[in-house]
């Protein structure tokens, strides 16, 4: 119930204004967000790479309401990709993009989001790296997968995200478990209705395992995005069963979450990619992280109280 309420708050502009203008939170925000500028995030990526990790970088922002905002997101990614190349980090860091930030919900949204995504994919290729399309709420799944299909004709390394909480995802995994296809599997972070998604955590975990089996048995490149110790253990067993060596799949985790486990897996020789968000528009992302773990929320509320 708390999770649902928080996820609804992540979409409330009123609460967003209260939280983001309060003189608070720097501790909580810093734990999950790698700074406000591209220079900040490049510095963080340098540190992650030096520690043997890989990265995917998200310029924070979603649900763009006009074209100029979508254009600004494209410009931010182009700037970031240039800086990554100049810093010699682009082989270790790719970028993650949200189609709603590129205009998906505007007039002619799918076409606009596609054109903007193409600009970023082209810049990523020039920088010697690639792009993964984040997955947002279920109303965008079809259009996101459609845009993915189009992008992959010209940019075949473009990655997709599938969410285990959706009933449809086993089928999507089957469709995408093909050679050259990069698929990030996560549990799913949005408040979804019972008509489209499992609600029970245990059912979501079971779905994750079924989806992971399909991806690991397939010929694509599975990117297993979870911090869940049981799922990580099952992933390692499945990799053994399917003769996948480190490098034939990767683990992905969020910046600031279970850093010791990130290091442990990397020391075992596994590819571990850290999803690293930056920017000033951190509200929606932060609230989803708080919703995942009540102790984060307590920490956040405590910092609100002590800073005021
Ligand atoms: C690389 C990456 C990319 C993602 N991209 C997307 C996307 O495109 N679309 C989407 O809907 N979702 C995305 N997610 C979020 C995902 O769907 C989950 O909401 C999130 O990863 C938590 O699920 P979990 O598998 O870690 O399992 P959980 O059962 O939530 O957590 C397992 C354990 O991990 C730790 N943990 C998990 N979350 C937190 C937290 N916030 N703070 C502290 N500890 C925590 C705790 O120890 C917890 O017990 C992404 C996640 C990752 C790692």
């Amino acid at each position: 119930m708390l999770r649902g309420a928080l996820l609804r708050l992540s979409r409330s502009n009123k609460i967003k204004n209260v939280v983001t203008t309060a003189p608070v939170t720097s501790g909580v925000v810093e734990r999950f967000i790698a700074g406000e500028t591209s220079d900040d995030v490049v510095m963080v990526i340098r540190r992650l790479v030096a520690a043997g990790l890989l990265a995917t970088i998200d310029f924070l922002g979603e649900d763009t309401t006009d074209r100029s905002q979508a254009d600004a997101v494209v410009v931010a990614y182009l700037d970031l990709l240039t800086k990554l190349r100049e810093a010699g980090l682009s082989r270790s860091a790719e970028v993650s993009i949200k189609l709603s930030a590129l205009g998906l919900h505007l007039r002619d949204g799918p076409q606009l989001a596609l054109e903007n995504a193409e600009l970023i994919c082209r810049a990523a290729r020039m920088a010697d790296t690639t792009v993964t399309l984040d997955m947002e709420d279920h109303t965008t799944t079809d259009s996101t997968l459609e845009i993915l299909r189009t992008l992959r004709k010209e940019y075949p390394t473009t990655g997709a995200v599938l969410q285990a909480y959706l009933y449809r995802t086993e089928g999507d995994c089957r469709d995408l478990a093909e050679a050259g296809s990069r698929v990030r599997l996560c549990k799913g972070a949005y408040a979804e209705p019972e008509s489209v998604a499992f609600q029970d955590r245990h059912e979501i975990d079971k779905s994750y395992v079924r989806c992971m089996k399909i991806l690991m048995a397939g010929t694509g490149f599975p990117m297993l995005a979870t911090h869940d110790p049981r799922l990580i253990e099952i992933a390692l067993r499945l990799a053994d069963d399917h003769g996948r060596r480190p490098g034939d799949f990767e683990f992905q985790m969020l910046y600031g979450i279970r850093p010791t486990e990130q290091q442990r897996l990397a020391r075992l020789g596994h590819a571990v990619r850290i999803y690293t968000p930056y920017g000033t528009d951190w509200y929606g992302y932060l609230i989803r992280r708080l919703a995942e773990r009540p102790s984060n929320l307590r920490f956040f509320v405590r910092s609100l109280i002590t800073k005021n």
Side-chain angles (χ1 to χ4, degrees):
M1 240 168 74
L2 176 65
R3 179 173 178 272
L6 277 170
L7 290 175
R8 278 190 294 281
L9 283 190
S10 76
R11 290 241 149 119
S12 157
N13 277 331
K14 246 195 211 150
I15 305 290
K16 176 179 178 173
N17 288 339
V18 173
V19 172
T20 55
T21 55
V24 282
T25 67
S26 61
V28 186
V29 174
E30 271 167 28
R31 176 177 165 196
F32 296 112
I33 315 293
E36 295 200 338
T37 67
S38 54
D39 288 329
D40 293 339
V41 77
V42 167
M43 219 153 65
V44 169
I45 299 304
R46 210 188 284 285
R47 193 163 45 74
L48 293 175
V49 170
L53 300 165
L54 303 167
T56 182
I57 307 173
D58 168 36
F59 175 64
L60 288 163
E62 48 204 275
D63 296 336
T64 289
T65 51
D66 63 57
R67 265 175 186 261
S68 61
Q69 222 181 327
D71 291 345
V73 173
V74 175
V75 170
Y77 274 104
L78 301 191
D79 165 59
L80 171 66
L81 286 160
T82 304
K83 290 201 168 123
L84 283 176
R85 182 169 46 76
E86 285 170 358
L89 292 168
S90 51
R91 295 214 135 196
S92 307
E94 49 141 82
V95 296
S96 285
I97 60 180
K98 282 191 174 45
L99 293 177
S100 76
L102 300 180
L104 186 66
H105 300 312
L106 303 182
R107 207 155 67 87
D108 300 326
Q111 184 58 29
L112 178 65
L114 170 63
E115 286 166 13
N116 283 335
E118 277 170 335
L119 292 173
I120 297 171
C121 287
R122 189 171 313 138
R125 175 188 280 171
M126 279 165 57
D128 213 7
T129 185
T130 192
V131 173
T132 296
L133 305 186
D134 281 350
M135 191 59 85
E136 301 178 68
D137 72 68
H138 78 278
T139 62
T140 65
T141 311
D142 280 327
S143 48
T144 302
L145 293 179
E146 189 56 43
I147 288 173
L148 173 83
R149 268 189 288 277
T150 309
L151 287 171
R152 285 194 61 210
K153 288 183 192 149
E154 179 62 29
Y155 304 99
T157 58
T158 309
V161 177
L162 296 177
Q163 298 153 317
Y165 63 15
L166 295 183
Y167 304 136
R168 60 177 285 166
T169 295
E170 270 185 80
D172 290 332
C173 284
R174 263 183 225 105
D175 291 346
L176 287 175
E178 61 186 16
S181 166
R182 297 167 60 252
V183 180
R184 174 193 300 160
L185 180 65
C186 65
K187 288 189 185 178
Y190 296 81
E192 298 289 16
E194 212 172 337
S195 53
V196 298
F198 297 108
Q199 308 291 311
D200 178 68
R201 295 184 77 87
H202 191 53
E203 287 302 322
I204 297 170
D205 291 355
K206 287 200 293 191
S207 170
Y208 195 104
V209 174
R210 290 194 298 274
C211 292
M212 188 159 51
K213 282 183 175 165
I214 295 167
L215 295 177
M216 294 295 256
T219 51
F221 185 76
M223 306 187 282
L224 305 172
T226 182
H227 314 90
D228 187 326
R230 280 192 57 223
L231 294 179
I232 291 170
E233 207 184 299
I234 295 170
L236 291 169
R237 274 212 308 273
L238 284 172
D240 264 355
D241 292 350
H242 293 287
R244 283 186 180 265
R245 305 167 65 83
D248 294 339
F249 69 102
E250 68 184 31
F251 289 106
Q252 297 195 345
M253 295 192 199
L254 301 176
Y255 179 71
I257 300 182
R258 301 202 71 206
T260 313
E261 177 66 359
Q262 297 171 7
Q263 286 293 339
R264 183 188 74 88
L265 289 167
R267 274 198 297 274
L268 288 175
H270 293 289
V272 183
R273 191 175 297 277
I274 310 306
Y275 185 101
T276 311
Y278 79 102
T280 52
D281 196 359
W282 42 258
Y283 174 77
Y285 179 88
L286 181 73
I287 298 296
R288 286 196 293 280
R289 301 296 75 82
L290 298 181
E292 280 154 6
R293 198 156 159 90
S295 59
N296 290 343
L297 184 64
R298 280 196 291 277
F299 180 50
F300 180 62
V301 172
R302 229 184 1 250
S303 73
L304 269 173
I305 294 165
T306 52
K307 294 258 169 96
N308 275 322

